[in-house]
Amino acid sequence: MEPDLQSLIGFLETVHPYDSLPRDELARVAGAIRRKTIPAETLIYEIDEPLGGIFVIQEGGVEVLDRNGALVSLLSHRNSFGERGMARDGLAATTVRTKQDSIVLMLPASEFHRLIHDFPSFERFFNRGRGHDPRSNEIVTLKVADLIARKPVTCQPDTSVAEAARIMRDAHISSLGVTADGTLKGILTVRDLSNKVLAEGRDPAIPVSAVMTPDPVSLPLTALGSDVLHLMLERRIGHLPIVDQGRFAGMVTQTDLTRFQAVSTAVLIRDIAGAETVADMATATGQIPRLLVQLVGGNHGHEVVTRLITDIADAVTRRLLAMAEAQLGPAPVPYLWLACGSQGRQEQTGVSDQDNCLILDDAVRDGDMAYFKALAKIVSDGLHQCGYVYCPGDMMATADRWCQPQHVWRDYFRRWIATPNPEAQMLASVMFDLRAIGGTASLYQDIQAETLENASRNSIFVAHMVVNSLKHTPPLGLIRGFATIRSGEYRNHIDMKHNGVVPVADLARIYALQGRLSAINTRARLTGAEDAAVISPSGARDLIEAYDLIARMRLENQAHLIRSNRKPDNFLSPTDLSDFERSHLRDAFVVVRTMQSALGHGKGAMS
């Protein structure tokens, strides 16, 4: 083997994911790579140019620029670039030029796509939307027997397809065990009926043995939940038969796993709804950290996890409102309790304070205000006792300013839009995330519609809101990849809230404003913005993938802290991440910064 090729192989063995390739495959890749020596300040490619492949820096460094020429990252030895555009549509997603004399390796596009197809390690590394292994949690340690939702439902191999379909319909299930003398011979699923019978126009009188999956992979009753999760993920299957000494004992499905998670949430909400005291509710909410670990470990999307956790806060709030009315008597006029912040967006995690307000019917009199002041105190104190600590900024219904008649709230929004000073921008940002929790919802519906209409038509207000939304930036450092906190308890950590999810939430809020979208949840706003053509499909797709990764890693870090018997927080140390994770987190932050730059230079921006 030539010395230069041997040297290149040695270098690639230090770069992930090339280090995961077999030796003979690595030699093939090294032979396909094109090695370029490029002087400083030389353009490698411009945004939207067709890419010939993906790149790895062997020596030197490059700078990555967005569409507006703003610097978003500096990359150096062993860093890759170009993969985002190559994986998407083959066009460069950024502009890249050398910062110093550099040696850059290019893997041709054909080889990149072949490796993505043939090697899962490559596909996982270059796919930000990848799945991830479930972490240790309660479902992982459960015995499979505890996950089986019903007694086994079976048919014989000679049962007709039509009869099998009727059995599944009547039992409200999506699969059957096919048995002979109690021994499992195969499984039949609704997908089999669709793909192998209906789609092929076959006679429904044929036996199930002709279309079933014979000798399916199975697990014994002694297996653990982790075995179920791993096998389903590895084999990409949704139905897993369980056997006991060769005999069919039941079926575990993806629905069963989801139901296990949902039951835990439902139990907590049931306990809260029936609680007689605030202490009883606090006992229930004390289980939220355990629930978070369980949900994250169950491989649920971050938007599902945060929605379920927020549902608990909503239930606590409504129960406290009922307790307050039981103590104080019926309200003198209709009212509406609203949440803003993470509860308003349905994005609560294991760390949440309370942000709320009250809108009162305009029939309220001065003498009625004492009632609502007392109600707000009961609810706010109860939330605090249940773990939703008082808002440090006093954005709570206990403050006179945030407990007002409907006409006052309408005037608030009108003044914030007409005179967007810094305080107005901050308050508008918070209040655009309002969501009704308990009371008369119509008190806010008209205000919300009117505010969106007025705000979106006021270009000066939108411009100020854009500037305000860019105050939180991703923690990208120019030298080492991340800009970490420099001192204090969380030195060398990243704030995954204020520099992670908040920048995306701020972008989504502006998109919702520009598109007059009523959605409040960040992810729903992003998908709505794409549908309304506020942002391009490619920009939306990149930003949603970036947001999903950032939000998921934030939750995974909280789950890790809880499993370590520590309180969850929003601070993540990059040194706790693998090279794989650091690379993708950095790429996600680059996407967010790119979208911020596009917004800042685009329609509605201020110079």
Side-chain angles (χ1 to χ4, degrees):
M1 184 177 293
E2 297 180 6
D4 286 348
L5 187 60
Q6 183 62 49
S7 174
L8 182 54
I9 291 173
F11 170 72
L12 292 176
E13 286 178 328
T14 70
V15 181
H16 193 68
Y18 301 90
D19 60 351
S20 66
L21 296 175
R23 182 75 180 184
D24 58 340
E25 185 62 39
L26 194 61
R28 172 176 172 172
V29 170
I33 279 178
R34 301 170 191 171
R35 189 171 184 267
K36 300 180 179 181
T37 300
I38 307 176
E41 305 298 330
T42 300
L43 184 71
I44 297 178
Y45 58 72
E46 283 192 287
I47 195 166
D48 294 332
E49 280 187 1
L51 290 166
I54 66 167
F55 303 82
V56 180
I57 302 170
Q58 187 172 17
E59 293 181 15
V62 304
E63 56 184 10
V64 181
L65 310 173
D66 67 15
R67 187 175 298 277
N68 301 295
L71 180 65
V72 294
S73 186
L74 281 179
L75 304 180
S76 58
H77 180 62
R78 297 195 305 163
N79 286 153
S80 299
F81 58 94
E83 61 268 23
R84 183 155 62 95
M86 180 58 64
R88 187 176 66 187
D89 54 13
L91 302 179
T94 55
T95 294
V96 177
R97 67 185 177 207
T98 53
K99 186 68 175 174
Q100 59 198 85
D101 292 345
S102 302
I103 298 176
V104 177
L105 310 177
M106 187 184 81
L107 178 70
S110 59
E111 280 295 289
F112 171 74
H113 291 300
R114 183 185 68 81
L115 291 169
I116 288 286
H117 181 269
D118 292 348
F119 293 92
S121 59
F122 252 70
E123 194 279 334
R124 287 194 301 270
F125 185 80
F126 291 115
N127 178 12
R128 283 196 301 273
R130 67 196 184 284
H132 59 292
D133 292 335
R135 303 289 181 89
S136 175
N137 61 77
E138 292 187 32
I139 196 170
V140 166
T141 58
L142 276 180
K143 292 290 182 65
V144 162
D146 296 325
L147 292 173
I148 298 176
R150 62 167 66 233
K151 292 181 179 180
V153 182
T154 66
C155 69
Q156 299 289 320
D158 58 358
T159 302
S160 72
V161 165
E163 178 60 23
R166 284 190 286 270
I167 293 173
M168 284 192 272
R169 178 199 63 190
D170 295 343
H172 304 289
I173 57 177
S174 58
S175 61
L176 288 175
V178 183
T179 61
D181 299 324
T183 301
L184 184 69
K185 298 298 182 181
I187 65 170
L188 182 73
T189 68
V190 169
R191 177 174 289 185
D192 292 328
L193 298 179
S194 174
N195 293 347
K196 299 179 183 179
V197 182
L198 290 177
E200 300 296 332
R202 302 176 74 176
D203 186 348
I206 63 173
V208 298
S209 58
V211 295
M212 71 181 186
T213 300
D215 302 317
V217 62
S218 62
L219 286 175
L221 284 172
T222 54
L224 298 178
S226 60
D227 299 317
V228 175
L229 291 167
H230 293 163
L231 204 52
M232 283 186 171
L233 289 171
E234 290 170 7
R235 301 294 184 93
R236 297 185 179 182
I237 55 177
H239 301 82
L240 188 61
I242 308 302
V243 296
D244 182 19
Q245 297 181 345
R247 301 183 70 82
F248 181 54
M251 193 84 71
V252 176
T253 69
Q254 288 182 342
T255 302
D256 295 328
L257 301 183
T258 302
R259 185 181 296 114
F260 173 82
Q261 311 289 10
V263 164
S264 296
T265 310
V267 167
L268 290 182
I269 291 177
R270 180 201 65 193
D271 292 345
I272 290 164
E276 295 296 330
T277 66
V278 175
D280 291 339
M281 283 191 286
T283 298
T285 56
Q287 301 302 311
I288 289 176
R290 184 165 63 94
L291 175 66
L292 185 144
V293 170
Q294 180 175 299
L295 292 172
V296 171
N299 205 25
H300 292 283
H302 68 90
E303 70 277 14
V304 175
V305 177
T306 55
R307 168 62 187 272
L308 292 174
I309 290 176
T310 305
D311 286 346
I312 296 171
D314 291 354
V316 170
T317 305
R318 285 191 285 267
R319 182 62 186 139
L320 287 168
L321 287 168
M323 287 181 171
E325 289 193 22
Q327 179 178 334
L328 301 172
V333 297
Y335 70 89
L336 179 63
W337 184 281
L338 304 98
C340 48
S342 60
Q343 185 182 0
R345 296 190 304 273
Q346 295 180 301
E347 294 167 4
Q348 288 191 314
T349 67
V351 187
S352 297
D353 59 6
Q354 56 175 291
D355 301 280
N356 44 62
C357 63
L358 271 170
I359 298 179
L360 312 178
D361 189 276
D362 279 341
V364 68
R365 298 172 299 180
D366 290 344
D368 299 327
M369 297 305 293
Y371 175 95
F372 291 108
K373 191 172 185 65
L375 179 139
K377 179 171 173 53
I378 291 171
V379 176
S380 184
D381 288 349
L383 287 170
H384 183 79
Q385 189 174 336
C386 290
Y388 306 98
V389 298
Y390 299 124
C391 172
D394 203 27
M395 297 286 294
M396 298 181 293
T398 49
D400 291 344
R401 190 180 188 184
W402 309 127
C403 177
Q404 291 292 331
Q406 185 185 40
H407 73 273
V408 174
W409 279 99
R410 198 182 301 273
D411 186 58
Y412 281 165
F413 280 104
R414 287 172 177 168
R415 283 193 285 112
W416 292 336
I417 293 169
T419 312
N421 57 43
E423 183 189 36
Q425 296 168 41
M426 182 272 294
L427 294 175
S429 295
V430 173
M431 295 304 176
F432 272 125
D433 295 347
L434 284 174
R435 182 171 61 89
I437 305 297
T440 306
S442 61
L443 288 171
Y444 179 59
Q445 289 169 351
D446 290 344
I447 295 177
Q448 182 188 35
E450 177 187 311
T451 300
L452 276 174
E453 175 73 19
N454 293 339
S456 63
R457 287 193 286 111
N458 188 320
S459 60
I460 295 177
F461 174 77
V462 172
H464 279 282
M465 288 291 288
V466 167
V467 172
N468 187 66
S469 73
L470 303 179
K471 291 181 179 178
H472 293 102
T473 58
L476 283 170
L478 297 181
I479 304 300
R480 291 177 293 176
F482 298 106
T484 58
I485 298 170
R486 295 183 177 180
S487 61
E489 180 182 0
Y490 298 108
R491 184 173 179 268
N492 296 328
H493 285 66
I494 297 169
D495 186 339
M496 292 292 284
K497 177 181 177 180
H498 292 103
N499 299 113
V501 295
V502 167
V504 185
D506 289 343
L507 285 172
R509 189 181 300 111
I510 296 299
Y511 299 148
L513 178 61
Q514 292 174 330
R516 303 179 189 178
L517 307 174
S518 59
I520 301 169
N521 175 265
T522 296
R523 206 174 191 280
R525 281 171 166 169
L526 294 177
T527 56
E530 178 184 8
D531 293 341
V534 176
I535 50 177
S536 68
S538 61
R541 184 166 60 250
D542 283 349
L543 187 55
I544 290 170
E545 286 185 1
Y547 177 57
D548 286 347
L549 186 142
I550 294 166
R552 189 184 75 228
M553 292 187 74
R554 178 193 182 200
L555 287 175
E556 287 176 343
N557 184 57
Q558 290 188 4
H560 169 71
L561 293 172
I562 294 166
R563 287 193 300 270
S564 303
N565 295 318
R566 296 157 62 189
K567 287 185 177 181
D569 58 42
N570 291 304
F571 300 96
L572 171 67
S573 172
T575 59
D576 291 339
L577 303 176
S578 65
D579 287 345
F580 173 91
E581 292 169 319
R582 282 196 297 272
S583 175
H584 284 285
L585 183 59
R586 184 201 68 207
D587 288 347
F589 287 145
V590 168
V591 169
V592 177
R593 180 173 286 183
T594 300
M595 295 300 286
Q596 285 185 324
S597 179
L599 182 66
H601 288 82
K603 184 178 179 181
M606 293 183 67
S607 58

